[in-house]
Amino acid sequence: MQRNGQLKKSRVVKVDSKESWDFFISQATTQGCPVVVHFTAAWCMPSVAMNPFFEELALSFQNILFLVVDVDEVQEVATKMDIKAMPTFLLMKEEAQIERLVGANPEKIKKRINIFINSMS
């Protein structure tokens, strides 16, 4: 993604294994950092369509860790988190799932993240 000739670095971290999932979640817990996870699949068009929106959210909410998990690449995590449909978004704090949003609904997701953040301050 290029903007003004500069390469824009993504703030969304791709989880590529159960080990990296455990690492990011435990690091976020240690730092008291909330986590928003996008469970996606390459073949799921609504999920893929949410990627640019998810990137924008990550830029808007600098104090949140944004993770993306491809359910086909990291099935173990998808199973552990009981993901049944894509896209699914999890709002997590201290390894606990606070909220689960299923479906590509940008407005609802943004609104829930705002409420999630405000509930922690």
Side-chain angles (χ1 to χ4, degrees):
M1 199 182 296
Q2 297 226 302
R3 274 211 187 134
N4 306 335
Q6 293 177 331
L7 193 61
K8 192 175 125 240
K9 188 180 178 320
S10 171
R11 280 205 65 249
V12 176
V13 181
K14 185 171 171 53
V15 172
D16 55 11
S17 66
K18 182 179 183 307
E19 291 70 29
S20 69
W21 167 265
D22 291 340
F23 172 78
F24 290 125
I25 296 297
S26 88
Q27 210 182 29
T29 300
T30 303
Q31 296 167 358
C33 178
V35 181
V36 177
V37 190
H38 174 195
F39 285 91
T40 184
W43 48 263
C44 175
M45 285 307 116
S47 231
V48 172
M50 289 299 285
N51 288 335
F53 169 73
F54 200 62
E55 291 282 353
E56 276 176 43
L57 281 178
L59 290 169
S60 305
F61 297 96
Q62 296 281 335
N63 54 341
I64 298 178
L65 173 61
F66 283 81
L67 299 177
V68 64
V69 178
D70 184 308
V71 297
D72 293 321
E73 291 174 21
V74 199
Q75 287 178 339
E76 207 176 338
V77 173
T79 303
K80 177 183 173 189
M81 300 312 290
D82 197 31
I83 303 303
K84 304 265 190 260
M86 275 62 68
T88 295
F89 296 87
L90 297 185
L91 279 53
M92 298 177 66
K93 179 86 173 121
E94 292 167 2
E95 297 187 32
Q97 180 182 307
I98 307 298
E99 186 157 6
R100 170 183 299 249
L101 300 157
V102 178
N105 185 336
E107 286 312 303
K108 183 179 178 186
I109 292 163
K110 192 170 192 171
K111 187 175 164 194
R112 298 310 303 171
I113 290 174
N114 272 312
I115 292 168
F116 176 53
I117 293 305
N118 291 333
S119 73
M120 285 183 286
S121 47

